[in-house]
Amino acid sequence: MYRYIPIVAERILVDGGSLMVMCGGAHLDVAIKELTSANTNLKFNWNISYICQRGTPLIHNRRVMTAVKNIIWLVKGKYTGNVVFDLIQAPYDPNKEDKEPHVWGQSVEAVKDIIEKFTVSGDTVCDFMVGGGSTAVAAALSNRRFVGCDIDPVAVKTTKQRIDALFGL
């Protein structure tokens, strides 16, 4: 997927718009290569560290215990938004509630923090892999429009159910 995301993002982003791609460290090298090798006007801007306070998983083949996910930040044209801190911390989730909707679920509060740092009210947030719908919920709570997709119909259904529940439908 990484090689196709910037092609779509270039078409839909406004000048100065950001593409944020969350990626575990085990695939960071591949993700950066594929995201930046597409012939687009998107350029690597920075890497944001997303700290997840959970049991630190062991990446066996790399012999690394990790508590960080990377958010690869590409920009179309020149970023002129606010200065941002390159560290985001997900709230502690001892009961693994973030994982209930989807095995790779993210914290709605942490995703909301990301959305509010890199967009303004009324912007559109697009998620190419909705999973359990945390980004959709965070976008709605942040007064952003949302477009999402996933190759897994269960992920799409779960996301729709979470949004419907949010609006009392």
Side-chain angles (χ1 to χ4, degrees):
M1 280 290 293
Y2 292 122
R3 75 180 68 188
Y4 304 108
I5 292 172
I7 295 167
V8 174
E10 182 182 36
R11 280 198 333 255
I12 62 177
L13 284 174
V14 297
D15 190 45
S18 294
L19 169 63
M20 314 295 285
V21 179
M22 188 175 290
C23 177
H27 303 290
L28 185 60
D29 56 338
V30 172
I32 289 175
K33 179 181 176 187
E34 291 190 2
L35 287 166
T36 59
S37 66
N39 191 15
T40 70
N41 290 320
L42 297 179
K43 301 296 179 222
F44 176 83
N45 193 59
W46 204 256
N47 182 58
I48 310 280
S49 295
Y50 175 82
I51 298 176
C52 305
Q53 293 186 42
R54 53 177 164 41
T56 28
L58 172 63
I59 310 301
H60 293 279
N61 64 334
R62 302 288 181 101
R63 302 191 51 77
V64 174
M65 302 249 327
T66 181
V68 175
K69 291 183 183 179
N70 300 280
I71 301 173
I72 304 165
W73 179 17
L74 288 86
V75 174
K76 180 177 181 179
K78 182 175 172 71
Y79 176 74
T80 58
N82 294 329
V83 172
V84 296
F85 192 53
D86 64 358
L87 182 67
I88 295 171
Q89 191 157 338
Y92 184 56
D93 184 21
N95 299 325
K96 300 187 180 186
E97 293 171 14
D98 295 338
K99 304 298 181 197
E100 283 178 18
H102 194 276
V103 66
W104 294 318
Q106 302 303 316
S107 160
V108 170
E109 287 304 312
V111 174
K112 188 173 174 245
D113 186 30
I114 295 165
I115 288 171
E116 290 175 353
K117 284 180 179 171
F118 292 94
T119 66
V120 296
S121 182
D123 275 359
T124 301
V125 173
C126 179
D127 187 351
F128 295 97
M129 294 174 257
V130 295
S134 294
T135 302
V137 171
L141 293 172
S142 301
N143 195 29
R144 274 47 166 194
R145 293 175 292 179
F146 178 78
V147 176
C149 61
D150 201 298
I151 61 171
D152 179 1
V154 173
V156 173
K157 182 178 179 182
T158 300
T159 299
K160 185 178 181 322
Q161 289 171 338
R162 288 183 76 187
I163 291 297
D164 287 351
L166 187 65
F167 289 102
L169 302 174

